[in-house]
Amino acid sequence: MKYTVSIEIAVPREKAVQLLADPVHLQKWLRGLVLHEPLSGEHGQLGTKSRVVLQMGQRKFECTETITRREPADLREIPNTSVVHFDREIVGEGMWSAVRDRLTEASPETTLWESENEYRFSGFAMKLVGLLMPGAFRKQSLQHMQDFKAFAEQGKDVREATD
């Protein structure tokens, strides 16, 4: 299963990518995040493997995330015409996923975030979930992007949400 979602964020690209890359902010916008800890390497850097635990309703999902691309490595003073790439592979029980994020400068004060997502499933239960609920994956990806937008633009923290 493959899909692409995108969103415009009303903050300069350099600020957006620095907020995305800073592990201190993850729980503020990544809904359901219980734990994100590097197993090897430094958070967000190329080659880093991290243990990630998410709580989705009554279900906990644990996976391993590997950073497969981060360009540029230095997220300060990025040239206007450059595209920021942040790719990762996520492996969990019955699932493999690749996320390829691109952040471009839509205007000096606006960032366009495009996210290509690819999923492969193994095992009967996960294949069934992928077959019957493909929209749920797209919806969750877009929710994370909308939560980040609200955090970056207005400082909203998903842990304080009442919905």
Side-chain angles (χ1 to χ4, degrees):
M1 171 176 54
K2 293 181 183 182
Y3 61 87
T4 300
V5 288
S6 63
I7 196 166
E8 275 201 13
I9 304 162
V11 298
R13 185 191 49 188
E14 190 168 309
K15 179 179 178 183
V17 298
Q18 288 174 359
L19 287 172
L20 269 172
D22 190 340
V24 169
H25 300 302
L26 276 175
Q27 288 191 320
K28 296 176 184 175
W29 64 269
L30 192 54
R31 193 178 296 255
L33 181 66
V34 175
L35 178 73
H36 193 289
E37 66 177 355
L39 299 172
S40 65
E42 185 181 329
H43 179 87
Q45 298 299 317
L46 183 64
T48 298
K49 287 188 184 300
S50 298
R51 178 175 168 235
V52 180
V53 179
L54 295 168
Q55 181 80 42
M56 294 175 261
Q58 297 299 316
R59 187 167 179 254
K60 267 193 181 165
F61 179 75
E62 186 170 331
C63 58
T64 301
E65 172 192 74
T66 304
I67 305 303
T68 56
R69 182 177 185 188
R70 178 177 163 161
E71 294 174 12
D74 185 351
L75 300 177
R76 293 168 293 159
E77 299 180 26
I78 305 163
N80 298 357
T81 56
S82 293
V83 176
V84 175
H85 294 273
F86 189 69
D87 301 354
R88 56 209 177 277
E89 286 186 358
I90 301 162
V91 178
E93 187 175 339
M95 184 208 80
W96 171 92
S97 173
V99 180
R100 298 171 193 93
D101 290 332
R102 291 183 309 274
L103 293 105
T104 55
E105 186 176 281
S107 76
E109 296 300 316
T110 309
T111 303
L112 175 62
W113 178 9
E114 297 173 290
S115 183
E116 291 178 22
N117 298 264
E118 178 181 352
Y119 286 87
R120 295 182 196 153
F121 303 103
S122 61
F124 178 74
M126 285 304 292
K127 284 184 179 181
L128 195 60
V129 168
L131 186 65
L132 297 176
M133 299 175 55
F137 290 85
R138 180 185 183 93
K139 184 178 176 183
Q140 182 179 16
S141 295
L142 196 52
Q143 180 70 63
H144 290 319
M145 294 173 97
Q146 290 166 341
D147 288 342
F148 178 78
K149 176 182 173 76
F151 167 68
E153 293 177 358
Q154 303 155 19
K156 288 189 178 178
D157 187 326
V158 295
R159 298 170 296 178
E160 298 168 1
T162 56
D163 54 26

